[in-house]
Amino acid sequence: MPNRTMSLAKPDLSRSNVARYVQLATLFRRHIESGHWPAGGQIPTVDELAAQHGVARATIRQALGILESDALISRFRAKGTFVNAQKRQHLWLDMTTDWRGLLNAREGAVIEVLEEEDVSHLPLRFHDIGTPTSRYRRLRRRHSREGQIFLVADVFIDAEFFPLIPREALSSTTAMRLATFFPRNISHAHQTIVISAADLEMSALLELPLNAPVCLVDRSAVDDRERLILLSKGVYRGDLVRLDMRL
């Protein structure tokens, strides 16, 4: 028999412009991640889910198709749909909250440099510290571990100091450690974390469903002349990040 756990509140799918089947796929994914639909358990039928969420059966089938393509569920004719057991240990990423931690690369992490260009303007920042310089070198880098992509970051480095960074460091070093190659002392740094949802670009780069949760992380380093010499704007997969703080 299907697993009949306590029903959840019906979401209002009309509040978003995102296609309903995509919203439902995100909701069903959360049911699996939270254990509401446990591994090995049978989920409600298409008819039951359609009635519960007030949508057509075809919409439910589209949503379940996304989960099936991600190997989260398996559907069997005349038997039903079941949640797959996780094939590997979850790759939790502890979000670092101190300077020393920001300098250390994650063990086993691989960094790809996807783009590199000179820019004269910075994007909007979550915090306003330091005075921007006239030119930056922008790197778009993608981080993965054990084949799992977990971060895409745009790193803006003061163009005056960029030539001082060894090329190999660009694909092996955390953004904040890149600043240690500069001749200026870091007077202070700041980190801001914001919860958001994956847009079309980031869903493709992070291999996530559209509108899946992500963590936006801005990190800035300011030198002893109050110049903003490094800015990192990272987008982490929300399903991999964990923030622990000692109280």
Side-chain angles (χ1 to χ4, degrees), residues 114-167:
L114 303 179
E115 300 174 12
E116 185 175 336
E117 65 174 348
D118 287 324
V119 297
S120 57
H121 298 284
L122 293 175
L124 292 176
R125 294 173 280 157
F126 294 141
H127 50 253
D128 186 15
I129 65 170
T131 302
T133 63
S134 60
R135 287 189 311 116
Y136 290 89
R137 190 69 173 169
R138 182 187 74 91
L139 303 175
R140 169 160 286 183
R141 307 196 304 172
R142 184 163 59 183
H143 301 237
S144 60
R145 189 173 66 179
E146 297 182 21
Q148 173 68 75
I149 297 168
F150 64 85
L151 165 66
V152 172
D154 286 335
V155 184
F156 298 83
I157 303 167
D158 188 334
E160 178 184 350
F161 301 139
F162 181 79
L164 303 177
I165 302 175
R167 289 298 304 182

Side-chain angles (χ1 to χ4, degrees), residues 98-114:
D98 59 31
W99 176 253
R100 183 182 298 274
L102 291 175
L103 296 180
N104 297 325
R106 300 184 187 280
E107 184 176 355
V110 175
I111 302 175
E112 306 171 76
V113 179
L114 303 179

Side-chain angles (χ1 to χ4, degrees), residues 99 103 161 176-190 220-230:
W99 176 253
L103 296 180
F161 301 139
M176 289 296 103
R177 184 169 287 280
L178 292 176
T180 64
F181 292 102
F182 302 168
R184 301 289 185 192
N185 293 324
I186 304 299
S187 65
H188 55 283
H190 198 88
S220 300
V222 176
D223 69 7
D224 49 14
R225 295 185 179 180
E226 291 301 311
R227 298 198 314 173
L228 179 63
I229 57 176
L230 188 143

Side-chain angles (χ1 to χ4, degrees), residues 195-236:
I195 306 303
S196 186
D199 58 19
L200 282 171
E201 181 182 33
M202 284 301 145
S203 65
L205 288 171
L206 290 169
E207 299 182 355
L208 280 173
L210 179 66
N211 214 35
V214 293
C215 291
L216 309 182
V217 182
D218 276 16
R219 292 168 178 152
S220 300
V222 176
D223 69 7
D224 49 14
R225 295 185 179 180
E226 291 301 311
R227 298 198 314 173
L228 179 63
I229 57 176
L230 188 143
L231 168 66
S232 173
K233 294 186 69 68
V235 183
Y236 286 84

Side-chain angles (χ1 to χ4, degrees), residues 47-65:
D47 286 340
E48 290 170 334
L49 290 171
Q52 178 183 347
H53 297 289
V55 298
R57 298 168 76 248
T59 302
I60 297 297
R61 291 195 186 97
Q62 285 180 292
L64 295 180

